[in-house]
Amino acid sequence: IDLKKLRALLRDNGEFHSVVEEAFMLAQENGVLRDITALKKAYDRVCEVAEVDEMTSEELEDLFMPNMSNIEFYESARTMLTELCRAVDMALATQEEGEDCNNPDE
């Protein structure tokens, strides 16, 4: 699994914000993600840019909150992608040139 794009996105706060904002705007209705379909649409865009697999229905159900705001979506996406990166790092028990998701600034 290649996490270079994901790591780069997590390191660049400005780019991460832009990607999440774009994803939110694509899926929002009246300033919120109203349902799980909207949440999936937003997450699918973030995952596409990060070059990681789309989220499963089960994962989305765990994250879903009715009428999710852009701030809530941002925090959810940041947490989810960071945890994904950590989980892969732990499963592979390797690090690429000192990079890891616990310290994305390194």
Side-chain angles (χ1 to χ4, degrees):
I1 297 174
D2 185 0
L3 297 179
K4 289 179 185 174
K5 184 71 174 184
L6 173 57
R7 286 188 174 115
L9 189 60
L10 289 170
R11 276 194 305 270
D12 187 339
N13 287 328
E15 180 66 14
F16 185 81
H17 182 271
S18 294
V19 167
V20 171
E21 185 67 21
E22 174 198 357
F24 183 84
M25 293 306 290
L26 287 172
Q28 64 86 28
E29 181 181 328
N30 296 320
V32 295
L33 300 177
R34 292 209 177 276
D35 54 33
I36 202 155
T37 302
L39 182 63
K40 178 173 179 21
K41 184 175 182 179
Y43 265 116
D44 284 353
R45 178 64 184 140
V46 173
C47 290
E48 177 184 355
V49 172
E51 297 180 359
V52 296
D53 291 341
E54 293 178 356
M55 297 182 66
T56 66
S57 296
E58 294 80 23
E59 291 168 326
L60 290 167
E61 288 174 16
D62 288 342
L63 296 171
F64 178 66
M65 297 183 322
N67 301 316
M68 184 181 279
S69 72
N70 62 340
I71 294 168
E72 292 165 329
F73 179 65
Y74 177 91
E75 288 299 321
S76 175
R78 167 73 69 186
T79 299
M80 185 276 300
L81 290 173
T82 300
E83 291 301 318
L84 171 65
C85 196
R86 285 180 185 153
V88 170
D89 280 344
M90 289 176 64
L92 298 176
T94 63
Q95 295 181 2
E96 296 178 4
E97 301 176 6
E99 290 184 336
D100 68 47
C101 292
N102 292 317
N103 298 301
D105 293 328
E106 290 183 357

